[in-house]
Amino acid sequence: MIRLNSEFTIAVHSLVLLAYRPDRTATSEMIAANVCTHPARVRKVLSCLKKTGHVATREGSGGGYTLACDPHEVTLAEVYRVTSIGSIKPSWCSGDVEEDCLIACNMADVMDGIFSEAESRMLTYLAQVKIADVLERLRAAHAAKP
Amino acid sequence: MIRLNSEFTIAVHSLVLLAYRPDRTATSEMIAANVCTHPARVRKVLSCLKKTGHVATREGSGGGYTLACDPHEVTLAEVYRVTSIGSIKPSWCSGDVEEDCLIACNMADVMDGIFSEAESRMLTYLAQVKIADVLERLRAAHAAKP
DNA sequence: CTTACTGTTATTATAAATATTACAGTTCAA
DNA sequence: TTGAACTGTAATATTTATAATAACAGTAAG
């Protein structure tokens, strides 16, 4: 089974939330409350997005996270690359390289190639979805409610 | 993080192994040894592939599993649909439907849609890869070794 | 100097994946 | 007609991965 890492979700959610807020700023505690997780987890994910320049941070009182990119430009593929690249591949591998069997000793490699290609197809889709699009979808979902 | 279910790998490995064997037949014990897992796990996965007609089984002494499809026809997309459809979506969800916030209460739904679309892009790739192609890749990987 | 933050690591708890055991049911063949 | 070799399936245990929590050093504002 595949299982998309939830850090990807946290990263997207955080960026969307920052884009949504008028001042484009929030603390890890505020974001964590919205995401429904622990502030330390938010800080961990956002510290990756800081390294890539997607958010800026300010420590100390009155500090927090600020969106440092254009939500109309940044794609989910970018976010995925930061948080979860390679995660499509299962940790469990079938076969055994030491075996003296064509299949058993090469299956891990071959499946690895297939997973990589599958992931790259997924990325071409994620490259079409921008942070601003996600916000738009959220608004549409909200408007559609009774 | 995404995490492709390893039952998909076990299913592919089993089908390839059956296709490779001259009589296209093997027991769960033989397959498990090649895959490196427990025979009961192989039986569980293959009982799904039996329902879809990809393998035939015979219980009792001298029984086992037989390939019941053409490896040049069956695609990995088909196998994925049998074993792992929906598995790309993380079990963990961000946000909370009960919240009175545009983002928090709709994020799960919106991400769900994005994951579904991502999975379907992956499936269009997997639909291009046949069981026979995997066997071919295994032969190529083997030939490339010193 | 105190309060409110980030950054980071370590630890614990929880959930999910995998392995194992067990046994009923089936078939073959001696 | 009995025993050996299988599948099918569920229950349980074990291992591994994920997420939550705690803790604290460092930084900046007031």
Side-chain angles (χ1 to χ4, degrees):
Chain A
M1 214 167 262
I2 299 171
R3 177 68 45 86
L4 261 194
N5 181 325
S6 51
E7 290 189 5
F8 172 66
T9 302
I10 292 174
V12 172
H13 191 138
S14 301
L15 292 175
V16 169
L17 183 62
L18 289 173
Y20 177 68
R21 291 178 59 85
D23 58 357
R24 299 200 157 177
T25 290
T27 66
S28 64
E29 196 173 358
M30 294 161 70
I31 298 171
N34 202 272
V35 166
C36 288
T37 187
H38 200 275
R41 200 170 178 214
V42 171
R43 294 201 288 270
K44 191 184 163 212
V45 172
L46 290 193
S47 85
C48 295
L49 290 173
K50 180 197 183 174
K51 283 171 193 155
T52 56
H54 292 95
V55 300
T57 70
R58 227 178 54 232
E59 297 183 23
S61 181
Y65 298 89
T66 305
L67 194 66
C69 59
D70 181 352
H72 290 88
E73 292 289 334
V74 176
T75 70
L76 299 196
E78 243 178 89
V79 179
Y80 181 84
R81 281 200 186 85
V82 174
T83 58
S84 311
I85 195 74
S87 69
I88 204 172
K89 188 186 155 193
S91 50
W92 189 92
C93 277
S94 88
D96 177 358
V97 209
E98 299 304 317
E99 279 291 323
D100 186 26
C101 164
L102 173 71
I103 295 177
C105 77
N106 292 296
M107 188 56 82
D109 269 2
V110 168
M111 288 306 291
D112 193 78
I114 288 167
F115 288 133
S116 296
E117 186 65 25
E119 188 173 52
S120 98
R121 299 305 173 101
M122 204 177 67
L123 277 167
T124 61
Y125 164 65
L126 292 179
Q128 295 166 1
V129 184
K130 307 217 163 62
I131 292 297
D133 298 330
V134 177
L135 190 46
E136 195 43 54
R137 288 196 196 197
L138 288 163
R139 290 207 167 95
H142 204 62
K145 280 188 180 168
Chain B
M1 213 166 258
I2 299 172
R3 178 67 46 87
L4 262 194
N5 180 325
S6 51
E7 290 190 5
F8 172 66
T9 302
I10 292 173
V12 173
H13 191 138
S14 301
L15 291 174
V16 170
L17 183 60
L18 289 174
Y20 177 68
R21 291 178 59 84
D23 58 357
R24 299 198 157 179
T25 290
T27 66
S28 65
E29 197 173 356
M30 294 161 69
I31 298 171
N34 202 272
V35 165
C36 288
T37 187
H38 200 277
R41 200 170 179 213
V42 171
R43 293 201 288 270
K44 190 185 163 211
V45 172
L46 291 194
S47 85
C48 296
L49 291 173
K50 179 195 182 175
K51 283 171 193 156
T52 56
H54 292 95
V55 301
T57 69
R58 227 179 53 233
E59 295 184 21
S61 180
Y65 297 89
T66 306
L67 194 66
C69 59
D70 182 352
H72 290 88
E73 292 288 334
V74 176
T75 70
L76 298 196
E78 241 178 271
V79 178
Y80 181 83
R81 282 201 186 86
V82 174
T83 59
S84 311
I85 194 74
S87 68
I88 204 172
K89 189 187 155 192
S91 49
W92 190 91
C93 277
S94 88
D96 176 358
V97 211
E98 300 304 317
E99 279 291 323
D100 187 26
C101 164
L102 173 71
I103 294 176
C105 78
N106 292 296
M107 188 55 83
D109 269 2
V110 168
M111 288 307 290
D112 193 78
I114 288 167
F115 288 133
S116 295
E117 186 66 24
E119 187 174 52
S120 98
R121 299 305 173 101
M122 204 177 66
L123 277 167
T124 61
Y125 164 65
L126 293 180
Q128 295 165 2
V129 185
K130 306 217 163 64
I131 292 297
D133 297 331
V134 178
L135 189 47
E136 195 44 53
R137 288 196 197 196
L138 288 164
R139 289 207 167 96
H142 203 63
K145 280 187 179 169

